[in-house]
Structures are given as C-alpha cells and as structure tokens.
Amino acid sequence: TNEEIIMKRRETLANMCDERARVLQDQFNVSLNHVHALSILVSTFHHGKIPSAIDQKTFEEYTERTNFERPLTSGVAYALKVPHSEREKFEKEHGWTIKKMETEDQTVVQDCVPENFDPAPIQDEYAPVIFAQETVSHIVSVDMMSGEEDRENILRARASGKGVLTSPFKLLKSNHLGIVLTFAVYDTSLPPNATEEQRVEATIGYLGASYDMPSLVEKLLHQLASKQTIAVDVYDTTNTSGLIKMYGSEIGDISEQHISSLDFGDPSRNHEMHCRFKHKL
Ligand code: WA2
C-alpha cells in the first residue's frame, strides 16, 4: 500500500542519515585524537628539549606526512603564549612583528595575507603562530587572540584542558565557513587535577586545527553510495534561536526530513545532520 511505501521511504532516509552522521562523527573524532597527540608532540620535542627538536621545517614535514591521520582538517598550526612584557624579545628573536588578524570585512581580499597585516596593537598577551602546516602557512606570525572566534577558543581550551571548537566562521583565505579545534599546551608545572587558574598559569601555547566544512564534508559524502539520492545539511545548533548551516544545499523536500545527532566532542557545542530525499515520491 501507499502507506507502507511511505513508511519504508522514511526508514531508508533515517538509516542513510544515521550512517552519514556516524561516518562524519567518527572521522572528526579520529582527527581530534591526532590533533591532541600533536599537542603532546610539540610539548615533548619543542618545549621539552633544549635546544628544541622542532622548527618550522620539521613541523611542516611531519604534519604533511601525517596528514592522513587527520581526515577533514585543512591544516594544523602552533601558536605561542606571549605576554606583553616578552613581546619585544620575542619579535627580535623571530625577526618579525606579531600581526593583527584582519578579516575581509575590513580589507579587500588581496590584502588578506599576513605580509599586509598591521602589527598587533598592544594587549596583555598574544598568541602568534610560530609553526604551521603548509596549507595554512598564511597564519604564521598572526596573533590568534586578535580574532574573536580564535580568542574565545584559546581561553576555553586553556581553562578546560580539553579540545574545544569554535562556532562556524569564515576562515582566513577561505570562501567557506569552517571551524577551529584548539588544544592548550602546558608546561611541566601543571599539577594533576589542576584548577582553571593553575591551567591558565601553566599554559605555554595552543595547537589548533582548522576544518573547512563544505569541501571536507563534500569529500567524505562522495565516498558513500547514493549521494544522488539524499541531500545532507550539517548545522551548528548550539544557539537554538539561530541554527548555523555549516554545509548543505537548498535542494530537496524538507517536508520529509530526518535529523541525526552529531557529537564532535565539545559538550558546549551542538551539531546535527539534516537529511532529505532530493526527489519527491
Ligand atoms: N587556522 C586556520 N585558518 C584560520 C584560523 C586558524 N586558527 N583562524 C582563522 N582562519 C593555531 O587555536 C590555535 C588556528 C588557531 C590555532
């Protein structure tokens, strides 16, 4: 009967949606674990050894060769915690000034490269990127605390000791919405069961990964069968009064939609996958 066909169709949609959500969530979790491991690598071989065993060239080579470990990421980078009192010494040592992050609302697109960025205005502290995977080399020397979303992430990461995610925003040199994952790196003075204050105090840097959602989700869904059949949207649903679409299209009939939950590992951000058939019954 017609009713059975509709039921069957609804069930098929639910299964396909759940499968896609599971694959995306698993891939995200795999890369989150490797970004975490990378933060420990930097702690061990950059901060834990004198002289450091990591420089930009080593970082670039290692992150490129281990890229397969971080599906969905478009690049990883490491920023140092620099208090204002150490800015001058830091800039002299590195031979460049700490730059202010400028978004394309403020500048024309061609100017949106760090070489053209202004020096960061005076702040209590900065988070300049010192190492970057080649794919995000344009953020080297940029103060990540001068970008609203990156700054929030840095503050939350170091107070919590957990991997944290930004809301979707337009990444530098990208035309798409993306998100950033951040882990704080601590010095060896961090006691077990540390308080927030002790965590902030012991922070020495921030290891971050960026995810260009549209291109990476597209790549992932492409690997699954029946891409022609269903349309998939991914939303940040943290703010229930305004969902943010991170990936998707306008195609399909939303009257019969299935919603699968997505857990990207940061309890203060919520995500969902919305699926529907591209063609009416
Ligand atoms: N990485 C790549 N592109 C971006 C970006 C970012 N943040 N922010 C805006 N566009 C080094 O949390 C520390 C990476 C930030 C880490």
Side-chain angles (χ1 to χ4, degrees), residues 14-44:
N15 288 339
M16 292 210 288
C17 199
D18 288 344
E19 190 206 354
R20 276 154 186 74
R22 189 182 44 80
V23 171
L24 180 61
Q25 182 179 304
D26 288 354
Q27 297 271 295
F28 194 90
N29 188 252
V30 165
S31 65
L32 180 140
N33 286 336
H34 279 94
V35 173
H36 190 185
L38 205 48
S39 74
I40 295 166
L41 181 110
V42 167
S43 161
T44 308

Side-chain angles (χ1 to χ4, degrees), residues 1 11-12 24 56 71 78 88 95-96 158 170 182 217 222:
T1 64
E11 192 185 311
T12 306
L24 180 61
Q56 168 57 30
Y78 182 62
E88 210 181 307
W96 40 254
R158 71 187 187 184
K170 210 172 144 306
T182 303
V217 175
H222 214 86

